[in-house]
Amino acid sequence: MDWNIDFALSSIVFLASIFVFFMAHKRLRIIENKSYTILFFALFGYFIFELISTALDSEPRPEATLYYLTWIANIAYFFFLGLQSYFFYLFFVSHMHLTKSKWRVVFYCLSTLPLIAAYIILFLSPSLHTVFWINEEGIYKGGQLYKTFVILCGVYPSLALLTVLFLWKRAPKMIDLKLVISSLLLVIGYVFRFAMPGTVILPTFTVLSVIVAYIGIGNPRYYMNEKTGLFSQNGMVLMLDEAIREKKNAPVLLLVITQYQKSRDLYRDKEMDRWLIKIAKFLNSQPLKVAVSYNHEGRFMILTKSEEDAREMELLIFDKLLNTEDKDVASGLNQNLGIIECLDSSSYESGDEYLRSIERAVSLAEAGKVIPVDDEVREKQKRESYVQKCLAKAIREQNVIVLFQPLKDLKNGTFHSGEALTRIYGKDGEIIPPSEFIYLAEQNGSIRDLSDIVYEKVLDFLAANPEETTQIKSISVNLSPIQCLDPNLPKDLIARAKAKGVALSRINFEITESAFINLDYLRKQMEHLIEAGGSFSLDDFGTGYSDLARVTSLPFESIKFDISLVRSYCSGQNTFLPYLSKAVKNNKRMIVAEGIEDADIEKKVSDLGIDFGQGFHYSKVLPPDEFVEFIKNQAN
Ligand code: C2E
Ligand code: MG
Ligand code: MG
């Protein structure tokens, strides 16, 4: 096969189309894309000089000017051949995310050696006829080192293939296999070039390789968000990752629609989407050089180049977006914007960690305010991930501490019941309180496993301490709202108590008002357990909506007044507790008062006719054996 002008021209047109397409689309500002862009310049040079030099070589051209032009065109052709193979290599290696270090510099310097050697023998061609030469008639002739030149250039595709094969786990998912195929195609092209110098099959493989690489990195689905036309969270992570790897500061703003779910319910999907697109357009049209992504649920992330740019962006958002009187936007929506700001990215190790840290601060977002992710927030997050690990370990090893706090029967001054309260171990024997891990367990779904362990321990405790010998009538166990939604919960709790030989009448379940998601369903779940002998208390009454009518529509045996309610009554801040107690009593529910910290509180609470008291005045939380002792010594 001879060099075919049609093919060369169509290759150039083809490459140009891919290039225009690539440039016309929004691209992530990352090294992979930059190296792909540079590669095109070398490829255009390669194809254009291939065309020119072939046109000049094929006929005898003894005229002086054309003779020299043939030399120049061929040198340029070989120059770009070397350059495109080197840039191909850089393109593949850029996906491997080598971290900034001395070694990376050494690596890149060493990798230029074959190219330098190739260029040396290329530029010796006019004097020593190394790679090629042009005879007096202007005809192209191969030189003795032609094959050496091809091997030196062919080192790059082979190195690229090896790098990709060895390090492909480092490349973001979805593009790794395409990288292998793309570099393999190039290697095959070079093998042909070496084995059959007369054929011109390398350009075909080059074009194929560029196409496969384009499919790999240019697929917008991977890094774009369709709805807003902004980058996706995936894309943002790649950009953050690179900034962190290159040790560049990457100040980020997270623009949050506070109360997102509520707003969606209120304004409906269409209106909300319109608002999202409006914000996206606004953020995209700012003169500052920023990269913007739409992460999810009303969260936009803005990656800026400097702290000053971040601050300027904040002002723009507040000025133009928050205070807009745009009639097009449902009134009120623009008032719901808050910003989480992180100006220092130096403490993060990856883009993913950085993004997660900012996302976790979303709960702090407030409309109209900028909340910085500062050292305090970061400390909190560090603690949270530490507790998360301890929790996972506690569940894995079933190593959970269950303590008991006695409840005093205020009518006769005796102690026959208690509440089971959980703790877990940290490192070095530290004991972590439930306020630090229950919400995490609820968030990550491990609350079921945790509760199973606690329930098991309570059952074991009750089985080992029958009422007749220890006077322990019942133990209260806390259930999380998520558990109450589980249709298998009642069956499961009943079966397990039965298996341990514990009567369900010895167990009282405490739930809070946050479990009131579907009252009818909850009532069914409760009735199932009550039928089997169990009972229910409403925990933390006074902290939620505390709608007594709703509360009394459910079969609670008792209502627990939260410590805040007891405190505010005893300090004279609220005067309605007597009425509330009366109303509860009228509904034939018992009352437990939490937070009995001294005799004075006990007296005030007893005077209201409250049935049970719980608090440090009687006892702190106790290990099982001390709890048994406590009941033995103080009951009767
Ligand atoms: P809670 O169920 O309302 O438990 C009462 C909390 O008040 C306990 O805190 C108890 O130690 C504390 N307390 C008792 N007497 C006094 C007092 O006189 N003054 C003061 N200031 N506090 C007192 P704890 O053990 O830290 O538990 C906190 C919350 O964690 C519990 O509140 C409960 O909601 C949750 N929790 C504990 N264990 C579990 C569990 O196994 N499962 C679930 N789902 N939640 C649990
Ligand atoms: Mg409780
Ligand atoms: Mg409580």
Side-chain angles (χ1 to χ4, degrees), residues 50 53 97 141 144 222 270 371 619:
E50 171 119 38
S53 62
H97 295 168
K141 298 276 175 201
Q144 280 180 345
Y222 183 51
K270 220 170 128 198
I371 308 287
S619 168

Side-chain angles (χ1 to χ4, degrees), residues 474-544:
S474 68
I475 292 293
S476 298
V477 183
N478 292 284
L479 295 182
S480 285
I482 313 170
Q483 289 178 269
C484 302
L485 291 173
D486 177 2
N488 294 322
L489 182 84
K491 259 195 325 221
D492 188 45
L493 293 176
I494 294 166
R496 285 167 55 198
K498 201 169 167 196
K500 295 265 177 188
V502 175
L504 214 61
S505 56
R506 294 186 77 196
I507 299 173
N508 175 258
F509 299 101
E510 293 193 6
I511 60 173
T512 60
E513 278 165 282
S514 9
F516 294 6
I517 299 162
N518 177 342
L519 284 190
D520 289 332
Y521 181 73
L522 180 64
R523 188 177 301 114
K524 255 191 219 138
Q525 298 269 80
M526 289 171 76
E527 279 165 357
H528 192 157
L529 280 159
I530 292 169
E531 239 168 65
S535 60
F536 276 85
S537 293
L538 178 69
D539 204 355
D540 299 347
F541 186 75
T543 55

Side-chain angles (χ1 to χ4, degrees), residues 149-178:
F149 183 86
V150 176
I151 291 176
L152 286 169
C153 295
V155 163
Y156 289 110
S158 325
L159 267 183
L161 181 63
L162 286 178
T163 319
V164 171
L165 283 177
F166 277 112
L167 300 177
W168 82 334
K169 282 272 170 293
R170 297 181 75 114
K173 272 190 209 97
M174 286 172 64
I175 63 169
D176 41 18
L177 190 63
K178 294 181 191 93

